Amino acid sequence: MENQNRIREVRKSLKLSGPEVAAKVGISTTYLYDIEKGRRGLNAEIASKLSDIFEATTDYLLCKTDVNLYSQNTKNNPEPHEESELSEIPIEKLNQYKLVYKGHELSADEAEDIIQLLEAALKRWKK
């Protein structure tokens, strides 16, 4: 089963041992290894605990998605409203990036129109 491999991969990528994770979850090491190998099922309580330990969504751990959208990552993002490293991109350089609106990538012409609209709005506000 794929999700068991994902659980093992995530555990190993975080350099966590099986006994360490099992102790945090409150199960035996054998039980954890059985989950990883697909010999035992993963109940909601254990999935939730693994999600917290690995800072990964349960959907990611269960291979329902390949994107980890764990939003309560307080270790790496202590301030949820903290500006990202991309917060200081000059508008005139936006055309160097792939711009997306509602999940659809904008064409070069659409992106240029957006950039021009932003520049026009900023010129109007700075009068």
Side-chain angles (χ1 to χ4, degrees):
M1 292 181 142
E2 272 185 74
N3 60 318
Q4 286 77 19
N5 292 335
R6 166 103 17 108
I7 291 168
R8 183 173 186 206
E9 288 171 11
V10 171
R11 176 178 62 78
K12 287 186 170 265
S13 74
L14 295 172
K15 297 181 175 35
L16 296 172
S17 71
E20 181 180 7
V21 171
K24 288 180 180 184
V25 174
I27 58 176
S28 71
T29 303
T30 304
Y31 193 99
L32 175 66
Y33 290 151
D34 284 349
I35 290 171
E36 290 181 350
K37 293 176 184 174
R39 294 181 189 148
R40 289 190 182 235
L42 184 62
N43 67 33
E45 181 181 357
I46 293 172
S48 176
K49 288 178 181 180
L50 289 172
S51 172
D52 290 340
I53 293 164
F54 296 154
E55 295 183 353
T57 63
T58 53
D59 280 354
Y60 180 75
L61 293 176
L62 297 171
C63 294
K64 293 184 181 237
T65 181
D66 288 331
V67 178
N68 182 11
L69 297 175
Y70 191 81
S71 61
Q72 287 106 29
N73 182 346
T74 56
K75 289 181 184 172
N76 294 329
N77 190 9
E79 179 57 46
H81 300 291
E82 186 177 301
E83 291 184 19
S84 77
E85 63 187 66
L86 299 177
S87 65
E88 294 187 23
I89 298 172
I91 291 173
E92 58 275 5
K93 292 188 177 182
L94 280 176
N95 59 358
Q96 297 174 6
Y97 296 90
K98 175 176 77 171
L99 299 181
V100 177
Y101 178 70
K102 293 187 177 182
H104 299 286
E105 185 176 345
L106 300 180
S107 70
D109 289 339
E110 291 168 330
E112 187 58 37
D113 287 347
I114 296 297
I115 293 167
Q116 288 176 5
L117 283 169
L118 288 170
E119 288 175 338
L122 288 172
K123 285 178 186 173
R124 181 172 174 227
W125 292 337
K126 290 188 178 195
K127 283 186 177 182

